[in-house]
mmCIF file of all heavy atoms in Angstrom:
data_model
loop_
_atom_site.group_PDB
_atom_site.id
_atom_site.type_symbol
_atom_site.label_atom_id
_atom_site.label_comp_id
_atom_site.label_asym_id
_atom_site.label_seq_id
_atom_site.Cartn_x
_atom_site.Cartn_y
_atom_site.Cartn_z
ATOM 1 N N GLN A 30 189.386 -56.202 192.699
ATOM 2 C CA GLN A 30 189.285 -56.393 191.253
ATOM 3 C C GLN A 30 187.963 -55.841 190.722
ATOM 4 O O GLN A 30 187.917 -55.217 189.659
ATOM 5 C CB GLN A 30 189.404 -57.885 190.921
ATOM 6 C CG GLN A 30 190.778 -58.489 191.195
ATOM 7 C CD GLN A 30 191.823 -58.024 190.202
ATOM 8 O OE1 GLN A 30 192.559 -57.070 190.462
ATOM 9 N NE2 GLN A 30 191.895 -58.677 189.058
ATOM 10 N N VAL A 31 186.871 -56.066 191.446
ATOM 11 C CA VAL A 31 185.581 -55.508 191.050
ATOM 12 C C VAL A 31 185.650 -53.987 190.980
ATOM 13 O O VAL A 31 185.086 -53.358 190.082
ATOM 14 C CB VAL A 31 184.481 -55.942 192.047
ATOM 15 C CG1 VAL A 31 183.193 -55.159 191.808
ATOM 16 C CG2 VAL A 31 184.216 -57.437 191.933
ATOM 17 N N LEU A 32 186.367 -53.404 191.937
ATOM 18 C CA LEU A 32 186.406 -51.941 192.040
ATOM 19 C C LEU A 32 187.362 -51.279 191.054
ATOM 20 O O LEU A 32 187.336 -50.056 190.915
ATOM 21 C CB LEU A 32 186.821 -51.544 193.458
ATOM 22 C CG LEU A 32 185.702 -51.421 194.479
ATOM 23 C CD1 LEU A 32 186.270 -51.067 195.839
ATOM 24 C CD2 LEU A 32 184.703 -50.361 194.038
ATOM 25 N N ALA A 33 188.210 -52.037 190.389
ATOM 26 C CA ALA A 33 189.243 -51.435 189.549
ATOM 27 C C ALA A 33 188.653 -50.528 188.472
ATOM 28 O O ALA A 33 189.163 -49.430 188.219
ATOM 29 C CB ALA A 33 190.111 -52.524 188.915
ATOM 30 N N GLY A 34 187.573 -50.955 187.827
ATOM 31 C CA GLY A 34 186.947 -50.114 186.809
ATOM 32 C C GLY A 34 186.387 -48.822 187.377
ATOM 33 O O GLY A 34 186.727 -47.730 186.902
ATOM 34 N N PRO A 35 185.514 -48.901 188.396
ATOM 35 C CA PRO A 35 185.023 -47.660 188.989
ATOM 36 C C PRO A 35 186.125 -46.749 189.517
ATOM 37 O O PRO A 35 186.019 -45.521 189.425
ATOM 38 C CB PRO A 35 184.123 -48.162 190.128
ATOM 39 C CG PRO A 35 183.633 -49.503 189.657
ATOM 40 C CD PRO A 35 184.781 -50.088 188.898
ATOM 41 N N GLN A 36 187.193 -47.331 190.067
ATOM 42 C CA GLN A 36 188.312 -46.499 190.529
ATOM 43 C C GLN A 36 188.875 -45.656 189.399
ATOM 44 O O GLN A 36 189.172 -44.470 189.580
ATOM 45 C CB GLN A 36 189.431 -47.376 191.099
ATOM 46 C CG GLN A 36 189.264 -47.824 192.529
ATOM 47 C CD GLN A 36 190.485 -48.598 192.994
ATOM 48 O OE1 GLN A 36 190.711 -49.739 192.583
ATOM 49 N NE2 GLN A 36 191.293 -47.968 193.828
ATOM 50 N N LEU A 37 189.072 -46.259 188.232
ATOM 51 C CA LEU A 37 189.652 -45.516 187.114
ATOM 52 C C LEU A 37 188.692 -44.468 186.573
ATOM 53 O O LEU A 37 189.113 -43.369 186.192
ATOM 54 C CB LEU A 37 190.069 -46.476 185.996
ATOM 55 C CG LEU A 37 191.363 -47.250 186.227
ATOM 56 C CD1 LEU A 37 191.732 -48.039 184.973
ATOM 57 C CD2 LEU A 37 192.512 -46.323 186.606
ATOM 58 N N ALA A 38 187.407 -44.789 186.515
ATOM 59 C CA ALA A 38 186.451 -43.781 186.052
ATOM 60 C C ALA A 38 186.458 -42.566 186.970
ATOM 61 O O ALA A 38 186.394 -41.423 186.515
ATOM 62 C CB ALA A 38 185.050 -44.397 185.983
ATOM 63 N N LEU A 39 186.558 -42.801 188.274
ATOM 64 C CA LEU A 39 186.603 -41.714 189.247
ATOM 65 C C LEU A 39 187.915 -40.948 189.219
ATOM 66 O O LEU A 39 187.939 -39.733 189.384
ATOM 67 C CB LEU A 39 186.427 -42.286 190.655
ATOM 68 C CG LEU A 39 185.037 -42.336 191.258
ATOM 69 C CD1 LEU A 39 185.060 -43.171 192.521
ATOM 70 C CD2 LEU A 39 184.533 -40.933 191.554
ATOM 71 N N GLY A 40 189.023 -41.675 189.046
ATOM 72 C CA GLY A 40 190.330 -41.085 189.307
ATOM 73 C C GLY A 40 191.255 -40.942 188.129
ATOM 74 O O GLY A 40 192.434 -40.605 188.319
ATOM 75 N N ALA A 41 190.804 -41.181 186.894
ATOM 76 C CA ALA A 41 191.687 -41.085 185.729
ATOM 77 C C ALA A 41 192.406 -39.741 185.715
ATOM 78 O O ALA A 41 191.798 -38.704 185.962
ATOM 79 C CB ALA A 41 190.889 -41.282 184.440
ATOM 80 N N ASN A 42 193.707 -39.770 185.381
ATOM 81 C CA ASN A 42 194.496 -38.533 185.437
ATOM 82 C C ASN A 42 195.706 -38.601 184.504
ATOM 83 O O ASN A 42 196.720 -37.979 184.772
ATOM 84 C CB ASN A 42 194.958 -38.290 186.888
ATOM 85 C CG ASN A 42 195.430 -36.872 187.137
ATOM 86 O OD1 ASN A 42 194.954 -35.926 186.523
ATOM 87 N ND2 ASN A 42 196.393 -36.713 188.048
ATOM 88 N N SER A 43 195.583 -39.343 183.396
ATOM 89 C CA SER A 43 196.742 -39.545 182.513
ATOM 90 C C SER A 43 196.333 -39.545 181.040
ATOM 91 O O SER A 43 196.546 -40.529 180.324
ATOM 92 C CB SER A 43 197.419 -40.880 182.853
ATOM 93 O OG SER A 43 197.603 -41.056 184.230
ATOM 94 N N PRO A 44 195.786 -38.444 180.522
ATOM 95 C CA PRO A 44 195.272 -38.478 179.151
ATOM 96 C C PRO A 44 196.307 -38.193 178.062
ATOM 97 O O PRO A 44 196.018 -38.427 176.883
ATOM 98 C CB PRO A 44 194.207 -37.384 179.155
ATOM 99 C CG PRO A 44 194.718 -36.390 180.162
ATOM 100 C CD PRO A 44 195.406 -37.204 181.223
ATOM 101 N N TYR A 45 197.493 -37.679 178.437
ATOM 102 C CA TYR A 45 198.475 -37.284 177.422
ATOM 103 C C TYR A 45 199.786 -38.038 177.618
ATOM 104 O O TYR A 45 200.249 -38.231 178.742
ATOM 105 C CB TYR A 45 198.761 -35.781 177.497
ATOM 106 C CG TYR A 45 197.594 -34.919 177.090
ATOM 107 C CD1 TYR A 45 196.782 -34.306 178.044
ATOM 108 C CD2 TYR A 45 197.303 -34.715 175.734
ATOM 109 C CE1 TYR A 45 195.708 -33.514 177.667
ATOM 110 C CE2 TYR A 45 196.220 -33.920 175.357
ATOM 111 C CZ TYR A 45 195.431 -33.330 176.324
ATOM 112 O OH TYR A 45 194.363 -32.544 175.951
ATOM 113 N N LEU A 46 200.386 -38.443 176.500
ATOM 114 C CA LEU A 46 201.711 -39.045 176.510
ATOM 115 C C LEU A 46 202.460 -38.588 175.265
ATOM 116 O O LEU A 46 201.966 -38.765 174.138
ATOM 117 C CB LEU A 46 201.620 -40.580 176.529
ATOM 118 C CG LEU A 46 202.946 -41.331 176.413
ATOM 119 C CD1 LEU A 46 203.838 -41.048 177.631
ATOM 120 C CD2 LEU A 46 202.730 -42.831 176.252
ATOM 121 N N PHE A 47 203.621 -37.969 175.477
ATOM 122 C CA PHE A 47 204.481 -37.501 174.382
ATOM 123 C C PHE A 47 203.701 -36.615 173.396
ATOM 124 O O PHE A 47 203.860 -36.709 172.175
ATOM 125 C CB PHE A 47 205.122 -38.673 173.646
ATOM 126 C CG PHE A 47 205.910 -39.597 174.529
ATOM 127 C CD1 PHE A 47 205.959 -40.958 174.268
ATOM 128 C CD2 PHE A 47 206.606 -39.103 175.631
ATOM 129 C CE1 PHE A 47 206.698 -41.801 175.084
ATOM 130 C CE2 PHE A 47 207.340 -39.945 176.450
ATOM 131 C CZ PHE A 47 207.383 -41.298 176.185
ATOM 132 N N GLY A 48 202.822 -35.771 173.957
ATOM 133 C CA GLY A 48 202.073 -34.823 173.142
ATOM 134 C C GLY A 48 200.821 -35.377 172.503
ATOM 135 O O GLY A 48 200.063 -34.624 171.877
ATOM 136 N N HIS A 49 200.554 -36.679 172.655
ATOM 137 C CA HIS A 49 199.378 -37.301 172.063
ATOM 138 C C HIS A 49 198.274 -37.422 173.117
ATOM 139 O O HIS A 49 198.529 -37.875 174.237
ATOM 140 C CB HIS A 49 199.699 -38.702 171.541
ATOM 141 C CG HIS A 49 200.614 -38.718 170.356
ATOM 142 N ND1 HIS A 49 200.219 -39.162 169.120
ATOM 143 C CD2 HIS A 49 201.915 -38.350 170.230
ATOM 144 C CE1 HIS A 49 201.238 -39.071 168.278
ATOM 145 N NE2 HIS A 49 202.280 -38.576 168.937
ATOM 146 N N ARG A 50 197.053 -37.070 172.748
ATOM 147 C CA ARG A 50 195.921 -37.372 173.609
ATOM 148 C C ARG A 50 195.516 -38.821 173.336
ATOM 149 O O ARG A 50 195.164 -39.181 172.209
ATOM 150 C CB ARG A 50 194.748 -36.431 173.334
ATOM 151 C CG ARG A 50 193.569 -36.748 174.261
ATOM 152 C CD ARG A 50 192.356 -35.920 173.948
ATOM 153 N NE ARG A 50 191.185 -36.479 174.627
ATOM 154 C CZ ARG A 50 189.926 -36.149 174.370
ATOM 155 N NH1 ARG A 50 189.674 -35.240 173.428
ATOM 156 N NH2 ARG A 50 188.929 -36.710 175.010
ATOM 157 N N LEU A 51 195.564 -39.642 174.388
ATOM 158 C CA LEU A 51 195.324 -41.068 174.217
ATOM 159 C C LEU A 51 194.092 -41.493 175.023
ATOM 160 O O LEU A 51 192.998 -41.061 174.743
ATOM 161 C CB LEU A 51 196.581 -41.852 174.604
ATOM 162 C CG LEU A 51 197.811 -41.516 173.729
ATOM 163 C CD1 LEU A 51 199.064 -42.147 174.278
ATOM 164 C CD2 LEU A 51 197.566 -41.949 172.292
ATOM 165 N N GLN A 52 194.279 -42.304 176.043
ATOM 166 C CA GLN A 52 193.155 -42.757 176.852
ATOM 167 C C GLN A 52 193.025 -41.872 178.089
ATOM 168 O O GLN A 52 193.972 -41.205 178.497
ATOM 169 C CB GLN A 52 193.361 -44.213 177.236
ATOM 170 C CG GLN A 52 193.527 -45.114 176.020
ATOM 171 C CD GLN A 52 193.566 -46.587 176.362
ATOM 172 O OE1 GLN A 52 193.293 -46.997 177.475
ATOM 173 N NE2 GLN A 52 193.909 -47.390 175.375
ATOM 174 N N ALA A 53 191.854 -41.883 178.711
ATOM 175 C CA ALA A 53 191.676 -41.085 179.924
ATOM 176 C C ALA A 53 192.707 -41.487 180.975
ATOM 177 O O ALA A 53 193.255 -40.634 181.673
ATOM 178 C CB ALA A 53 190.261 -41.265 180.467
ATOM 179 N N GLU A 54 192.961 -42.766 181.085
ATOM 180 C CA GLU A 54 194.015 -43.279 181.966
ATOM 181 C C GLU A 54 194.926 -44.152 181.120
ATOM 182 O O GLU A 54 194.697 -45.352 180.951
ATOM 183 C CB GLU A 54 193.419 -44.056 183.152
ATOM 184 C CG GLU A 54 194.437 -44.457 184.196
ATOM 185 C CD GLU A 54 195.297 -43.277 184.646
ATOM 186 O OE1 GLU A 54 194.766 -42.203 184.956
ATOM 187 O OE2 GLU A 54 196.520 -43.455 184.660
ATOM 188 N N THR A 55 195.968 -43.540 180.565
ATOM 189 C CA THR A 55 196.857 -44.207 179.611
ATOM 190 C C THR A 55 197.838 -45.150 180.297
ATOM 191 O O THR A 55 198.413 -46.029 179.649
ATOM 192 C CB THR A 55 197.616 -43.138 178.793
ATOM 193 O OG1 THR A 55 196.665 -42.278 178.167
ATOM 194 C CG2 THR A 55 198.506 -43.748 177.733
ATOM 195 N N ARG A 56 198.036 -44.985 181.613
ATOM 196 C CA ARG A 56 199.027 -45.802 182.320
ATOM 197 C C ARG A 56 198.872 -47.309 182.119
ATOM 198 O O ARG A 56 199.867 -47.990 181.852
ATOM 199 C CB ARG A 56 198.995 -45.502 183.828
ATOM 200 C CG ARG A 56 199.590 -44.196 184.239
ATOM 201 C CD ARG A 56 199.302 -43.869 185.697
ATOM 202 N NE ARG A 56 199.457 -44.994 186.598
ATOM 203 C CZ ARG A 56 198.440 -45.700 187.104
ATOM 204 N NH1 ARG A 56 197.188 -45.419 186.796
ATOM 205 N NH2 ARG A 56 198.673 -46.685 187.933
ATOM 206 N N PRO A 57 197.682 -47.896 182.247
ATOM 207 C CA PRO A 57 197.593 -49.352 182.114
ATOM 208 C C PRO A 57 198.125 -49.875 180.785
ATOM 209 O O PRO A 57 198.880 -50.864 180.753
ATOM 210 C CB PRO A 57 196.091 -49.625 182.274
ATOM 211 C CG PRO A 57 195.610 -48.530 183.166
ATOM 212 C CD PRO A 57 196.399 -47.325 182.723
#
C-alpha cells in the first residue's frame, strides 16, 4: 500500500480514454 503511489509515478501508461487526455494513469 505504501508503494502504490510510487509505483504509479514510475509506471503510469494510460493517459488517453475515448480520445480525451485525462490522468497519467486513468485506470484507477
Side-chain angles (χ1 to χ4, degrees):
Q30 292 288 95
V31 169
L32 273 178
Q36 277 184 288
L37 283 186
L39 266 169
N42 196 31
S43 313
Y45 292 101
L46 175 64
F47 304 146
H49 292 245
R50 181 185 166 193
L51 298 171
Q52 303 187 10
E54 188 51 48
T55 304
R56 286 170 43 257

